[in-house]
Amino acid sequence: MLHATVSSPGDEYGKCGFLPMFGPCYVNLYGSPREFSAIVSEEYEKLNLGVGEGCSYRGRVLIELSTQLGELPSEPVQDIPSDDILRMESYMRRRKYRLHAAFLSATMVDAIDAPVEFEISIGNYGNKLDENLTPCSSTTQPTNAVFDGLSYHFLPWTNLKPCVVVDSQWEDISFRLESLNMLNKLADKLGQYTKELKAGVKEKLPKESMASMAIRILDEVISLASRPLPEAIPSRHRANLLDTNVAKMRQDQIAHIIESATLLRETATSLEDVISEMEEYGALIKHLAIEPQNSMPDVIIWMISGNRRIAYCRIPAHEVLHSETEERCGAQCGTVQTLYLKYPGKSFDSSLPVPCQLRLKIWLGLAQYDQQWHEAQTDGEWVVFAETYENQMYLPAVGWTQKAPTMGRSKWSDSSGKLKLPKESFMEPQGWRFVGDWYISPEISMSFDRDAGHRKFLEDVFEHENRIPGVGWGMTSWADMRGDSFTSRDEIVASEGWEWEDVWQVDLNRAVDEDGWEYAVESSMGGYGAVEKRYHLCRRRRWVRSRTLTNPEMAGKKDEEHLPDSSGWEYAVFFNTKFHHKNRHTDIVRRRRWHRKMIAQQPGTSPVFINKLKASSEDSSDDEGEVQTLSTPRMFLSLPEVYKYELRAYMYQARDLNAGDKSGTSDPYAQVSFLNYSQATEQVKKTLSPTWDQTLLFDKIVCHESPAVIAVNPPEIVIEIFDYNKFGKPDMLGRAFAKPKVKITADDYQENACLEWYTISHDGGEGGELLAAFELFAVSDNVTLPFQPEKHGALYNVPSGIRPVLKRTGIEILCWGVRSMKNFQLSAVTSPVVEFSIGSYIAKSEVMVNTKKNPNFPKPVLFLDVLIPIEEHYTPPMNIRVKDHRQFGRHPLVGCLSVGKLEKYRCDCLPLTGESTFEFDFTGLDATDRNSEHVVDFEVVEEYVESGEASALNNDKKAISRSSLSSKQGDTTQEQAEDIDWWSKYYASCGETSRYGDYLEKGYDTLEIYDTELEKANDFFNGFTDFCDTFLLKRGRSLDEEESDIVGELKASFKIYPLPDDPKEHMPPQHFSTLPSSDPEECIVRVYIIAANDLQPKDSSGLADPYIVVKIGQQRFDTMDNYKPNTLNPIFGHLFEFTANIPLETELKIKVVDYDIIGSDDLIGETIIDLENRILTKHRATCGLPANYCLTGPNQWRNALTPKEILVNFCQQNNIAEPIYYGKTGLKIGHRVLNIGDFEKHTSSKQRYLGETDQRLALHVLRRLQLVHEHVESRSLYNPIQPDIQQGCLQMWVDIFPKSLGPPGPPVDITARQPKK
C-alpha cells in the first residue's frame, strides 16, 4: 500500500502545487512469511491484509497515476494501450546490485531448540524458498546457541564472523534515494543543533557564548542546506513528472530555509527565537524527506531455527545504500549497527523478551563498486570456504554406515540435506580457485560444555538399581538424566576453575519416596513413579551437588576427557533435531562438516559452484549421465586479533517504575546484557523507585573488534527491569538502552563517569527512568585499570566519585487529606494512612478516623531529616503509598504514586529569628520609600458620604452590615433612578460604551474581565496550588474490573530545604507552622452565571436551547424552566446560592445542557471548580477585592470581613507583624509606611458611598498583595465524549463565605436586563 505524498497544494510563498500523480514506478508489497499456512499460522492472516508490518516480500506492481480535471471517463476500467506499454518498458531497465553483510555478534538469542541461522534478502533474492533465481550465499552457517550465564543465549562465532552476499537486479533510482539520504542527514543535523542550543539555555551560558553558538550553528545550517540535491542523469536514470515536481518543491522549500536562516542570523534577538526556528526547519525537512517512488525493496533479515522463521527485521534500502559521494551514502552503509529483531505480526514490545540482538555491517551498492566493500574491511580478512556435510546412520547389526536405506538424505549434502554435495563434485567457480585440501571443521558450539556461562552449576547423576523377581535390589550403576552411562558419583571431580559448595545429596524435591527412589518396570521405557510395585524391576534416585566458578577464564572450557571427538562428528536422534558432541544410546544419526578454502582471482565474481553429479539408481535417477546442481560457499570475516575489555555498569537507582504486583508495588531488579555477557543486580523489595547502588563488573570480556572500532560505535547495552516473583517467571517492567563510554588510554581512565537518566520503555509507553552510568575499559598490559569499587558484602558499590554527593536536607510534608477514594475489594476506604518514603527514609501520617466525616488528617505536618543528592538531577523521587486500616489487622494498599520532580518544592530555610521573608511590592507609587514613621496627614473630604452612612463608619463590621441592610432599599431606588445596575459595571469593564450609560462619569469602579479560568488568569496564581497540590493516586497494577487506574486524590505539598551539617546546631523554623483548621467548614457559596459564548450547536437548526445545571455533592440546581431558546450565545444572569460543607463537598460542577422537548437533554459542556483550593490559597480566591471600599451603592462591600480584618489575617498567615495605623490616613506594614495619598491622588472623588479612610487604605494595600480582585472569569466547557475539544465558554464567578467569619454582605443582583416596552 502506498503511504506517501504524491501531490502538493502549494504554499504560502506563492509556489504552485501539482495534482496527484505517480509513476510509472513499482510499488513493493509485503505480507506474511512465504511459509505461511492458514491452518498453522492464523496469527499471520492480517499481515496480508495490510494490518501490521509485513515481514516478507510478496511481490511488486508497476503503477502509473495521473489526475485530469474535466468529465468522468465513459468506461471506469479500460485496457492499457500498446503505446503506453511500450513507453513503460523504458522504466523497467535493470542494473546489478550486490548486498554484503558481516555478522559480528548474535546475542540475547531466545531460540535454542535447534541450530540458529540468519538469512538476508532483498526482494526474492536471497530467500531460501525461491528456487528460480541463481543461488547465493544468503545465510549464515547453522550454529547451536550457548547460554550467556543469566537468561539469554548467544552464537559462539569467535573470530570467524559469518558473511553473506546477495546479488540482485533493480531499477537505478539512486537519484531518489541519495536525495532522501541527504535530507535525512540534514534533519538529523538540525535535531542535534536544536539539542545543543537547548543545552546551552539550560546551562545558562553567558550571552556572548550563546550568541556565537547561534551564529555558528546558523552558518552551518546555511552551508548544509546549500548543497544541491542529486538530479537524474538521462543516460543512467529514468525520471518521471512526479520526480520533477518533487525536486522543484524541495528546492523551493530549502531555498526558503536558507533565506530565513540568513535573515535570522542578522535579526535574532533571543536564543528562544533561534530554537523555535530550528525546530520549524527540522519539521519541514522531515516532511520533505519522504520519497513516494521508492521502488527498491527493503532489506529483510530473518532468524531461522530449524525450519521455523522466528524473528525478523526490515531495513529500508536507502539506509545502507552506497554512493560515490560520501554525503549521499546511507546513514548505516558499511557501518557497524545494532539491530533488534521482532516477532512477525508484533512490534518491538518492551514487555516481550528480545528475540535477538544483532551487531552487523550492511552494504548495498552497484556490483561495479563491490571492491569498495572489501577495501573497507581493514580489521580482518574475507575468507570463503566450500562446505559439505558427511552423513551417517546407525544400524544395530552394522554400526555407523552411509548405506542405510532409511537415512533420508545423501551421503554428502548441505546442512539442510536437500542438496547432494560429494566432495569430488565441486568445480572451481569462474574467477576462483581452491587452496589446500578438504579438512574437518567441527561445529564451534561443540567446544562449549553444558556449564558454559554459568557461575553456579548443579551437578547431578542418577543411581540405578535393578532386581530379579524374588530377589532384593542390587546391581548398582550410574547414568545421566537420559539413561546414558555416566561416571559414578564418587569419581566425579570439579572441573578446573570450579569448587564444590557442598556434598552429594539425594534430591527429594521430586515425585520420589522418602529415600529419593522412583520406580519403573524398565529404565528405557520410562514411566517412573514414587510408589514401589511388585512388577517394578528397576529404580533410580538423583544425587545433586553444587559447584561455583572460581576462575572465569576456565568457564565453559572442556577438559580432555570431555572434549569433542577430533573426528568432528555431531550426533542426534534425527537429522532435523539438535545435534550434540557426545554419542548417546538414543542417537541414530550423525554428521560432520568439511571445509575447503577458496581465494578470488578475479575480484567481483560470485563464487557459485556448479556441482556435477553422476546419476545412478542410488540417487533415484532412471537415466545414466551427469546431473548439475548449483551451491554456494560459506563466507567469513576472519578477525585474528583478540582484545580484552572490562565493562563497569554503575546501577544507582530507578524511579517511577510500573507496578508488577497487585499490591501496587514491585520487587525490582535490573538485568544488564552486553554482547554475550549478562549480570543482574540484587532485588529491592516493595518499591517503585529502587536504589541499588551497585556496580556490575564484566571483567575479561573477549572481543575481536579493536578499541579504535569500538570507540567509534560501541556495542549497545540492554538493561531490562524485572519484578521478582517467588513463584513463576519474573514480570517484565521495561527495557532501556545505553552505550558505554569507551576508555582506551590512561588519560581516559582518570575521567569519572557521570550518572545519566535513561528512559525505560514498556508496552509502547514510558515505564520510568534509570539512573546509571557505563564505562568500557580497554584492557592492556601498558595501562593499569582503576581500582575496583568498594564492596558491601559480596556486592560492589557505586564509587564515591560517581555516586551523587549527599547533603543533609529537611523535608516538610503537608499531608492534608484524601479525596474521591474508590472502593477497594468491595469496601469503602474509610481509615487511610499515608506513607511517604524517599530513599530509605519513611514518614507516616496518623490514621484518619473516618473519611466520610472528615477527609483531612488531624495532624497533617510530617518531617523527614534525610541525606539526598545536592544536584536536583539525581534526587530520588518521593514515593507515596496509601493504606487502609481495616478489621482483623488488615492494611491493604489502596493507592500509590511517585513524585519524581521535586525541584518546585525546594526553598530556602527560614531564619532562626523567625522573621518573615515576605517582600511587599509597592512599585509604581509616587511616594518615595519611607522607612521612618513620619506620616503626612491628608485632609480627607467625605462630601458624598451621607450622614446615615457616616455614622456607620465608626462602628464595627456587624454594625456596617446592619446599616447596609437598612439602607439597601433606599439605595436600590436611587440606583434605579440613576439607571445604574450591575450590567452597567460589566459593560463598562468590557468597554462597550453604548451599554453602560454614564457609569464611568459617576466615578464608579470596574472589575477584571478574564478570558480564561481564574486559576490561570495570572502566572502567580499557579492554579491555586500554593497551599497544596492534588496528586492522582493509582492502584499500581490495575485490576481487571476497573476502567481506570486512578483510584483517588491526595492533597499534599512539600517544602525541601538544606539543614545544618552539624546535628547539634539549631533547626530552622518550619514553613508549615501556620495552617488553617483541617475540620470541615460550612460555607455559603454563591455562583453567578453571566453568559455563555460560542456553544456547540445541538439542534438540527444549528442552534441550541441551553440552560444551567449546578451540582455539588448531593445538591443539584438548574434553570431548565428558564432555558434560553435558539441561541449559541445565551445571557443567563442567574445566581445560585447554597450551603456546602467543605471539604466533604469540594467539587463544584457546572453544566450547560441543551433542552429537548422530546427525549433526554444533551450535555453541551461542563466545567469543574475545586472550592477547597480557593479557600486554602494565599491569593484569597473566596471573594474578589473591589477597587474601593463602599458601604452601599452599586459597588457595596460584600465580604464578611472588613479590609482591615483581611489585612490582619494575611499578616498572620505569612508570619508578618500586624499593621500599625497612624490615625485614619497612614499605616506601617513591614518596613514601609504608607499614606492614603499614595493611592488616592485626588482629595475629592466622584465616587459615592465610600467607607472610612483607614479601611480604604487597608484595601489599597491588599490589592497590591497578589490577591484576587473583583472579576468575571471565562471557563472553558468540555464534553466527556470529546474531552480535548472545547465546547464553548461560560462567563461567571464564585463567592465563598465561611460561616465562621460571620454573615456576608448582600448578593449582587445580576438579573439580565429586560427589553423596555
Side-chain angles (χ1 to χ4, degrees):
M1 186 178 291
L2 184 62
H3 292 283
T5 302
V6 294
S7 64
S8 173
D11 54 33
E12 65 272 20
Y13 310 109
K15 306 299 182 182
C16 296
F18 51 91
L19 293 172
M21 61 181 64
F22 183 84
C25 181
Y26 280 100
V27 174
N28 301 308
L29 305 177
Y30 300 90
S32 62
R34 294 177 62 178
E35 296 91 341
F36 164 72
S37 170
I39 299 176
V40 180
S41 306
E42 294 183 358
E43 66 271 17
Y44 296 160
E45 287 184 359
K46 294 183 179 179
L47 296 181
N48 290 332
L49 301 177
V51 180
E53 182 184 62
C55 57
S56 181
Y57 174 82
R58 301 306 294 265
R60 59 203 316 235
V61 181
L62 182 61
I63 295 177
E64 182 179 21
L65 170 69
S66 63
T67 305
Q68 298 177 357
L69 301 179
E71 297 182 357
L72 295 175
S74 58
E75 297 181 12
V77 180
Q78 300 177 0
D79 293 335
I80 301 176
S82 58
D83 292 342
D84 287 343
I85 294 177
L86 292 175
R87 182 173 56 87
M88 293 288 183
E89 291 184 356
S90 63
Y91 294 92
M92 300 169 64
R93 178 193 172 196
R94 301 290 184 93
R95 300 193 67 182
K96 292 183 179 180
Y97 282 84
R98 182 161 292 173
L99 174 65
H100 285 277
F103 293 80
L104 301 180
S105 66
T107 57
M108 303 183 73
V109 177
D110 198 37
I112 58 173
D113 297 334
V116 176
E117 60 181 327
F118 294 94
E119 175 198 85
I120 190 166
S121 63
I122 179 169
N124 287 327
Y125 299 96
N127 194 307
K128 295 172 64 176
L129 292 179
D130 202 309
E131 298 179 354
N132 298 321
L133 298 173
T134 303
C136 55
S137 302
S138 62
T139 60
T140 65
Q141 82 274 17
T143 306
N144 292 327
V146 177
F147 188 55
D148 70 354
L150 198 58
S151 63
Y152 285 108
H153 293 72
F154 68 96
L155 301 188
W157 286 333
T158 61
N159 67 312
L160 288 178
K161 308 300 181 182
C163 298
V164 297
V165 178
V166 177
D167 288 328
S168 60
Q169 295 185 19
W170 307 105
E171 305 80 26
D172 189 350
I173 58 167
S174 56
F175 69 100
R176 297 174 187 163
L177 302 186
E178 290 175 359
S179 297
L180 188 59
N181 288 334
M182 290 186 66
L183 291 172
N184 283 327
K185 290 182 178 180
L186 178 57
D188 293 340
K189 275 291 185 181
L190 289 171
Q192 295 175 11
Y193 292 150
T194 304
K195 288 183 179 179
E196 185 178 350
L197 291 171
K198 289 182 177 180
V201 172
K202 187 175 181 180
E203 295 175 5
K204 299 179 180 179
L205 296 177
K207 291 184 178 180
E208 295 78 7
S209 301
M210 297 298 293
S212 60
M213 179 193 300
I215 292 174
R216 173 182 58 81
I217 287 176
L218 288 173
D219 288 340
E220 293 180 5
V221 169
I222 295 171
S223 175
L224 290 174
S226 299
R227 296 177 180 176
L229 296 178
E231 297 180 356
I233 303 173
S235 60
R236 176 179 173 185
H237 307 114
R238 188 71 168 89
N240 53 39
L241 185 57
L242 180 57
D243 290 321
T244 304
N245 288 327
V246 168
K248 182 67 168 60
M249 178 184 67
R250 288 172 174 170
Q251 290 173 2
D252 293 340
Q253 297 289 357
I254 292 176
H256 166 68
I257 290 177
I258 296 173
E259 180 182 354
S260 176
T262 304
L263 180 62
L264 183 65
R265 187 185 186 281
E266 304 298 332
T267 61
T269 58
S270 67
L271 206 59
E272 287 74 13
D273 295 340
V274 179
I275 293 175
S276 177
E277 288 294 322
M278 293 290 291
E279 290 176 343
E280 291 185 8
Y281 299 160
L284 179 57
I285 294 298
K286 288 180 180 179
H287 175 72
L288 296 178
I290 298 175
E291 178 49 61
Q293 300 183 118
N294 185 358
S295 60
M296 182 81 75
D298 291 347
V299 176
I300 300 180
I301 301 175
W302 272 103
M303 180 175 74
I304 303 174
S305 178
N307 294 320
R308 294 188 306 119
R309 292 182 179 266
I310 304 297
Y312 78 102
C313 180
R314 272 177 60 178
I315 307 169
H318 69 86
E319 292 186 0
V320 295
L321 183 67
H322 169 75
S323 173
E324 295 178 88
T325 306
E326 183 178 356
E327 63 186 22
R328 300 179 181 181
C329 288
Q332 303 297 335
C333 176
T335 63
V336 179
Q337 59 177 314
T338 301
L339 297 178
Y340 295 90
L341 306 191
K342 50 189 173 183
Y343 298 106
K346 300 178 182 179
S347 60
F348 183 64
D349 194 345
S350 298
S351 62
L352 299 175
V354 176
C356 179
Q357 181 198 55
L358 279 179
R359 184 169 165 84
L360 75 169
K361 295 186 286 188
I362 306 178
W363 184 95
L364 172 65
L366 292 170
Q368 66 188 53
Y369 301 130
D370 175 75
Q371 191 61 27
Q372 297 194 19
W373 157 262
H374 296 283
E375 292 174 357
Q377 312 311 312
T378 57
D379 50 348
E381 178 189 4
W382 195 55
V383 293
V384 182
F385 296 98
E387 179 182 271
T388 186
Y389 281 82
E390 181 182 0
N391 304 309
Q392 291 186 358
M393 187 174 183
Y394 181 79
L395 296 178
V398 180
W400 294 103
T401 178
Q402 292 183 328
K403 298 182 179 181
T406 59
M407 189 164 66
R409 61 175 62 189
S410 299
K411 305 173 185 177
W412 299 86
S413 70
D414 63 349
S415 60
S416 65
K418 296 179 180 179
L419 292 179
K420 186 166 65 172
L421 300 175
K423 291 189 290 185
E424 61 275 7
S425 69
F426 284 84
M427 307 298 294
E428 292 181 346
Q430 183 179 0
W432 294 79
R433 67 178 179 86
F434 286 115
V435 176
D437 202 357
W438 290 93
Y439 65 93
I440 298 172
S441 176
E443 164 60 36
I444 305 173
S445 60
M446 297 302 166
S447 62
F448 288 82
D449 208 345
R450 57 178 182 152
D451 58 8
H454 293 268
R455 292 184 177 271
K456 287 188 177 181
F457 191 78
L458 186 67
E459 194 75 59
D460 65 339
V461 64
F462 285 83
E463 179 184 3
H464 287 253
E465 289 187 352
N466 300 305
R467 70 177 177 181
I468 301 174
V471 183
W473 296 102
M475 302 171 61
T476 301
S477 63
W478 298 89
D480 61 11
M481 182 178 64
R482 298 175 182 84
D484 295 319
S485 179
F486 203 77
T487 307
S488 67
R489 178 193 66 188
D490 297 329
E491 295 177 357
I492 297 176
V493 296
S495 303
E496 187 178 358
W498 294 82
E499 288 185 358
W500 294 113
E501 278 191 344
D502 47 22
V503 297
W504 288 101
Q505 297 177 352
V506 176
D507 184 7
L508 299 178
N509 294 320
R510 306 168 69 242
V512 295
D513 63 12
E514 60 183 355
D515 294 323
W517 294 104
E518 51 184 345
Y519 304 86
V521 176
E522 205 278 324
S523 60
S524 61
M525 296 174 58
Y528 283 94
V531 180
E532 180 182 1
K533 301 295 178 66
R534 294 176 60 187
Y535 52 79
H536 286 153
L537 300 180
C538 65
R539 68 177 182 178
R540 70 176 185 179
R541 60 179 174 182
R542 184 186 185 215
W543 291 84
V544 296
R545 189 177 186 184
S546 298
R547 52 188 168 96
T548 304
L549 182 66
T550 57
N551 185 0
E553 292 184 352
M554 304 302 297
K557 290 189 177 180
K558 297 178 181 292
D559 51 31
E560 294 182 359
E561 180 181 354
H562 294 88
L563 280 174
D565 191 348
S566 59
S567 60
W569 290 109
E570 306 168 20
Y571 300 86
V573 179
F574 303 106
F575 279 111
N576 59 353
T577 59
K578 187 175 181 179
F579 284 85
H580 43 266
H581 75 279
K582 184 178 180 181
N583 185 12
R584 301 168 183 166
H585 75 281
T586 56
D587 295 333
I588 59 174
V589 298
R590 71 178 183 177
R591 70 178 187 182
R592 59 181 174 181
R593 183 171 61 189
W594 292 79
H595 275 171
R596 189 176 185 184
K597 190 175 179 180
M598 304 167 56
I599 60 174
Q601 291 182 314
Q602 297 179 10
T605 56
S606 298
V608 178
F609 294 104
I610 300 178
N611 300 89
K612 295 183 178 181
L613 308 174
K614 291 183 178 180
S616 63
S617 58
E618 178 187 349
D619 302 318
S620 302
S621 177
D622 297 333
D623 300 326
E624 296 292 333
E626 285 189 348
V627 177
Q628 292 186 351
T629 61
L630 299 179
S631 64
T632 56
R634 296 292 185 192
M635 302 180 182
F636 299 91
L637 182 63
S638 177
L639 304 177
E641 296 294 332
V642 177
Y643 303 95
K644 292 186 178 181
Y645 299 89
E646 179 174 304
L647 175 69
R648 298 186 181 183
Y650 306 110
M651 308 293 292
Y652 189 67
Q653 68 181 19
R655 65 186 181 191
D656 300 336
L657 298 180
N658 292 326
D661 302 330
K662 290 185 177 180
S663 62
T665 61
S666 299
D667 305 321
Y669 69 92
Q671 177 177 303
V672 180
S673 299
F674 179 74
L675 293 177
N676 55 318
Y677 302 87
S678 296
Q679 290 189 42
T681 66
E682 62 177 346
Q683 304 160 17
V684 181
K685 300 292 185 181
K686 304 296 180 184
T687 181
L688 298 180
S689 300
T691 299
W692 294 293
D693 191 10
Q694 184 176 346
T695 298
L696 301 178
L697 290 181
F698 296 78
D699 52 353
K700 297 180 175 62
I701 294 176
V702 176
C703 182
H704 295 272
E705 297 178 62
S706 66
V709 175
I710 292 289
V712 175
N713 193 353
E716 202 162 45
I717 300 171
V718 181
I719 308 100
E720 295 175 311
I721 313 296
F722 291 93
D723 170 43
Y724 173 78
N725 292 320
K726 188 174 182 180
F727 303 102
K729 295 178 62 177
D731 298 325
M732 171 76 76
L733 299 180
R735 183 180 292 119
F737 303 93
K739 285 196 173 182
K741 184 177 181 181
V742 181
K743 298 188 174 183
I744 302 175
T745 64
D747 294 336
D748 295 337
Y749 289 2
Q750 302 303 319
E751 299 179 9
N752 284 333
C754 295
L755 295 173
E756 297 181 21
W757 287 106
Y758 296 93
T759 300
I760 300 172
S761 56
H762 182 71
D763 281 342
E766 292 189 3
E769 291 181 298
L770 170 72
L771 183 60
F774 305 91
E775 291 181 310
L776 182 63
F777 297 94
V779 179
S780 170
D781 296 335
N782 301 327
V783 183
T784 304
L785 288 175
F787 292 111
Q788 292 184 345
E790 295 181 358
K791 274 190 172 183
H792 179 72
L795 305 177
Y796 291 98
N797 291 331
V798 175
S800 57
I802 300 175
R803 185 194 295 116
V805 179
L806 304 181
K807 168 71 176 176
R808 186 183 178 214
T809 306
I811 302 179
E812 289 184 40
I813 303 171
L814 178 62
C815 182
W816 190 248
V818 295
R819 306 288 185 268
S820 307
M821 295 297 296
K822 287 185 179 179
N823 292 354
F824 181 74
Q825 295 178 348
L826 303 179
S827 299
V829 177
T830 57
S831 301
V833 61
V834 184
E835 178 183 289
F836 298 85
S837 63
I838 181 169
S840 59
Y841 303 92
I842 300 176
K844 290 185 179 180
S845 69
E846 293 186 352
V847 179
M848 189 178 293
V849 178
N850 193 335
T851 55
K852 295 182 179 179
K853 294 182 179 180
N854 184 4
N856 290 336
F857 290 96
K859 295 182 179 180
V861 180
L862 308 174
F863 184 78
L864 284 173
D865 188 343
V866 301
L867 287 173
I868 59 175
I870 296 177
E871 298 182 50
E872 180 65 29
H873 184 67
Y874 300 139
T875 302
M878 177 67 72
N879 299 308
I880 303 175
R881 305 170 68 195
V882 181
K883 297 181 179 180
D884 189 27
H885 279 233
R886 297 186 174 179
Q887 295 178 343
F888 307 108
R890 295 183 301 128
H891 306 118
L893 181 70
V894 296
C896 61
L897 76 146
S898 179
V899 184
K901 309 295 184 182
L902 298 176
E903 186 176 8
K904 61 178 288 190
Y905 303 107
R906 288 188 178 270
C907 59
D908 297 328
C909 57
L910 296 176
L912 296 176
T913 58
E915 295 181 359
S916 174
T917 58
F918 185 88
E919 295 183 2
F920 292 95
D921 184 13
F922 293 114
T923 58
L925 296 180
D926 292 339
T928 58
D929 292 344
R930 292 187 293 269
N931 294 325
S932 65
E933 297 187 5
H934 177 70
V935 178
V936 178
D937 191 10
F938 284 87
E939 179 183 358
V940 180
V941 179
E942 305 284 357
E943 55 180 334
Y944 288 103
V945 180
E946 301 177 1
S947 60
E949 298 163 2
S951 61
L953 294 177
N954 298 321
N955 297 328
D956 59 8
K957 175 187 63 177
K958 296 180 180 179
I960 293 174
S961 299
R962 288 194 298 270
S963 174
S964 302
L965 291 173
S966 64
S967 60
K968 177 181 180 182
Q969 185 174 359
D971 295 335
T972 303
T973 303
Q974 184 176 359
E975 292 169 17
Q976 292 175 350
E978 297 177 350
D979 199 20
I980 296 297
D981 59 2
W982 180 88
W983 289 94
S984 300
K985 182 178 185 178
Y986 171 75
Y987 291 129
S989 303
C990 294
E992 299 186 27
T993 56
S994 61
R995 309 187 70 174
Y996 60 80
D998 57 352
Y999 180 85
L1000 293 179
E1001 285 74 7
K1002 294 180 180 293
Y1004 291 134
D1005 303 331
T1006 58
L1007 46 75
E1008 304 282 351
I1009 304 293
Y1010 296 127
D1011 59 358
T1012 184
E1013 289 82 357
L1014 176 62
E1015 55 269 24
K1016 301 178 183 177
N1018 286 306
D1019 293 338
F1020 51 78
F1021 285 169
N1022 194 27
F1024 297 142
T1025 58
D1026 52 279
F1027 180 80
C1028 62
D1029 287 306
T1030 301
F1031 297 102
L1032 299 178
L1033 297 172
K1034 296 185 179 181
R1035 186 73 75 200
R1037 185 173 183 175
S1038 300
L1039 303 179
D1040 295 336
E1041 63 272 13
E1042 292 184 335
E1043 297 181 357
S1044 172
D1045 59 348
I1046 305 299
V1047 296
E1049 299 175 351
L1050 173 68
K1051 295 272 190 177
S1053 187
F1054 310 95
K1055 294 291 183 182
I1056 305 175
Y1057 49 87
L1059 295 178
D1061 295 332
D1062 187 358
K1064 297 180 181 180
E1065 293 187 23
H1066 293 289
M1067 297 285 285
Q1070 292 192 359
H1071 287 76
F1072 295 127
S1073 57
T1074 305
L1075 297 175
S1077 173
S1078 61
D1079 296 330
E1081 174 81 22
E1082 280 199 0
C1083 300
I1084 298 173
V1085 181
R1086 293 173 181 169
V1087 181
Y1088 297 88
I1089 307 296
I1090 311 303
N1093 298 318
D1094 301 326
L1095 298 179
Q1096 283 290 327
K1098 289 294 182 180
D1099 298 337
S1100 58
S1101 62
L1103 300 173
D1105 307 317
Y1107 66 90
I1108 300 297
V1109 176
V1110 175
K1111 291 184 65 177
I1112 184 168
Q1114 301 300 320
Q1115 303 180 70
R1116 183 183 186 277
F1117 313 92
D1118 64 64
T1119 63
M1120 185 172 58
D1121 296 338
N1122 190 25
Y1123 70 90
K1124 305 298 179 182
N1126 299 324
T1127 180
L1128 299 180
N1129 299 282
I1131 296 177
F1132 293 107
H1134 198 88
L1135 164 66
F1136 298 91
E1137 183 171 349
F1138 48 86
T1139 300
N1141 195 348
I1142 298 176
L1144 297 175
E1145 301 170 318
T1146 182
E1147 189 174 87
L1148 175 64
K1149 183 177 294 186
I1150 305 170
K1151 301 180 179 182
V1152 179
V1153 184
D1154 174 51
Y1155 176 79
D1156 290 330
I1157 298 177
I1158 300 175
S1160 60
D1161 297 342
D1162 301 322
L1163 174 65
I1164 297 177
E1166 64 183 14
T1167 184
I1168 299 175
I1169 300 175
D1170 191 327
L1171 298 182
E1172 185 181 20
N1173 280 359
R1174 297 201 172 194
I1175 292 177
L1176 296 175
T1177 179
K1178 66 180 181 182
H1179 302 292
R1180 198 178 181 277
T1182 52
C1183 184
L1185 298 172
N1188 281 292
Y1189 176 66
C1190 298
L1191 296 179
T1192 57
N1195 299 310
Q1196 182 177 354
W1197 183 261
R1198 64 180 188 272
N1199 274 280
L1201 300 177
T1202 63
K1204 293 176 65 175
E1205 292 172 328
I1206 296 173
L1207 184 58
V1208 170
N1209 289 344
F1210 179 86
C1211 293
Q1212 292 175 350
Q1213 293 173 1
N1214 291 276
N1215 197 26
I1216 305 171
E1218 294 185 9
I1220 301 173
Y1221 289 88
Y1222 302 98
K1224 296 289 187 178
T1225 61
L1227 67 79
K1228 179 181 180 182
I1229 184 167
H1231 298 289
R1232 284 295 300 265
V1233 177
L1234 301 169
N1235 289 327
I1236 189 65
D1238 296 335
F1239 303 98
E1240 297 181 3
K1241 299 180 177 57
H1242 305 288
T1243 55
S1244 61
S1245 174
K1246 296 180 181 180
Q1247 175 68 279
R1248 292 185 171 217
Y1249 320 117
L1250 293 177
E1252 280 194 344
T1253 308
D1254 54 349
Q1255 298 284 4
R1256 303 204 311 270
L1257 178 58
L1259 178 58
H1260 289 310
V1261 173
L1262 289 170
R1263 285 177 62 89
R1264 290 281 185 150
L1265 299 179
Q1266 295 185 349
L1267 303 182
V1268 174
H1269 296 175
E1270 191 176 17
H1271 66 276
V1272 170
E1273 58 178 310
S1274 296
R1275 302 195 66 85
S1276 298
L1277 300 173
Y1278 293 95
N1279 194 313
I1281 298 177
Q1282 297 175 308
D1284 298 327
I1285 301 177
Q1286 184 176 330
Q1287 306 294 318
C1289 61
L1290 189 65
Q1291 286 191 311
M1292 56 169 293
W1293 86 86
V1294 179
D1295 286 344
I1296 309 170
F1297 305 104
K1299 287 187 176 181
S1300 61
L1301 301 180
V1308 179
D1309 183 6
I1310 62 167
T1311 304
R1313 290 176 174 176
Q1314 301 298 323
K1316 295 181 180 180
K1317 295 183 180 179

